[in-house]
Amino acid sequence: MGVKLRYAHLADFASVDAGGKVTIVGLFGQIYDTMKVRPIPFPLFHIVAMFEASVTEGTDHRAQLQLIDQQKRTVLRKFDLPIRFGPMGRGQPLQAPLLLQLGPGVIAVPDLGAYEFRFLIDGKDVGGLPVAVTEPPPPPE
Amino acid sequence: MARWRRLLEQMASDSDPRNYTYDEAVTVLRGLGFLMAPHGAGSHRAWRGVSATGTVVVIGLVDKGHGTLKPYLVREMILQLRQHGFLT
């Protein structure tokens, strides 16, 4: 089975309680270029991801986050973090949440376009999360 | 009271936080256990800490070597710290 990405979202807020229950508020998939500057800074946001692994994978791993553009070029590679998988009950795979809150300007992209966050566990790509950087919609009439 | 905690309280209660330097913000973040993430040649710095619930909080600051931080950076830093329970 290896490690796989069960889900991933961009959100305004996310947290996980002591029992492992994840709360996610305000899902989105687009960043608007409201400031009209280049590179385009991302606002304050959360990335929340849940990974699953078979028990044979062990509990301690490292997670990396990569942002790629449409041509699969790496825009940035960041956040090499320890991640610990925990048991979810007999017969169930191990699970590990990854919650990142990124402040304004921590991530910036060169221009408008389609991008994708890729998640790597111990250097192996396990899944992605698309994000479009677009012009803001016109104000309602 | 430790200097970093005094600074944090001052920043948190300041409605117009325009007189804080990068070094003062770093004093607060170091006091809270944040570490600087590896960075390139530019002036942007990412400081990384882990909340009590395990959320990795990444705070962006600009280190120009002089002057004060833009108020929005201090406000957003306080907002992030507040959202994840660093401000008690």
Side-chain angles (χ1 to χ4, degrees):
Chain A
M1 174 190 179
V3 178
K4 64 179 185 185
L5 178 66
R6 191 163 165 222
Y7 63 77
H9 300 291
L10 302 179
D12 290 334
F13 181 77
S15 70
V16 58
D17 70 13
K21 187 186 285 181
V22 178
T23 301
I24 308 172
V25 179
L27 300 183
F28 62 91
Q30 274 177 305
I31 303 280
Y32 293 134
D33 174 25
T34 50
M35 293 169 72
K36 312 287 182 203
V37 293
R38 298 293 182 272
I40 301 167
F42 280 30
L44 174 68
F45 72 108
H46 284 71
I47 293 176
V48 53
M50 183 65 77
F51 301 96
E52 277 184 359
S54 68
V55 290
T56 56
E57 295 292 328
T59 56
D60 292 305
H61 297 270
R62 293 200 75 81
Q64 295 98 28
L65 185 67
Q66 194 178 2
L67 183 64
I68 60 171
D69 64 13
Q70 251 173 325
Q71 286 74 45
K72 310 281 183 208
R73 290 178 303 213
T74 303
V75 177
L76 61 90
R77 183 187 289 269
K78 275 195 172 180
F79 311 126
D80 183 8
L81 305 161
I83 186 167
R84 174 161 285 180
F85 286 73
M88 290 293 119
R90 186 182 289 271
Q92 296 297 311
L94 303 175
Q95 280 192 3
L98 176 69
L99 273 75
L100 272 169
Q101 186 197 41
L102 301 166
V106 170
I107 291 181
V109 293
D111 215 333
L112 302 175
Y115 296 87
E116 190 174 12
F117 286 105
R118 300 299 305 182
F119 298 96
L120 292 85
I121 301 292
D122 300 329
K124 188 179 166 207
D125 192 318
V126 296
L129 170 62
V131 56
V133 181
T134 64
E135 295 282 2
E141 304 253 327
Chain B
M1 187 187 281
R3 179 169 179 260
W4 69 266
R5 195 171 282 285
R6 267 203 313 276
L7 268 169
L8 175 59
E9 285 184 4
Q10 209 175 319
M11 287 176 184
S13 59
D14 197 338
S15 58
D16 187 21
R18 57 178 63 248
N19 289 316
Y20 300 99
T21 63
Y22 172 79
D23 287 344
E24 286 174 324
V26 166
T27 300
V28 168
L29 294 177
R30 279 193 204 280
L32 291 167
F34 278 67
L35 296 170
M36 187 163 64
H39 61 85
S43 57
H44 287 256
R45 303 283 180 267
W47 285 83
R48 196 163 76 196
V50 182
S51 76
T53 58
T55 300
V56 177
V57 178
V58 183
I59 292 175
L61 294 175
V62 179
D63 178 14
K64 287 189 175 160
H66 60 86
T68 54
L69 288 169
K70 290 201 185 303
Y72 87 92
L73 285 173
V74 179
R75 271 196 297 268
E76 296 285 354
M77 176 179 117
I78 294 298
L79 174 67
Q80 287 186 262
L81 295 176
R82 212 185 285 281
Q83 278 187 347
H84 289 285
F86 289 97
L87 266 162
T88 50

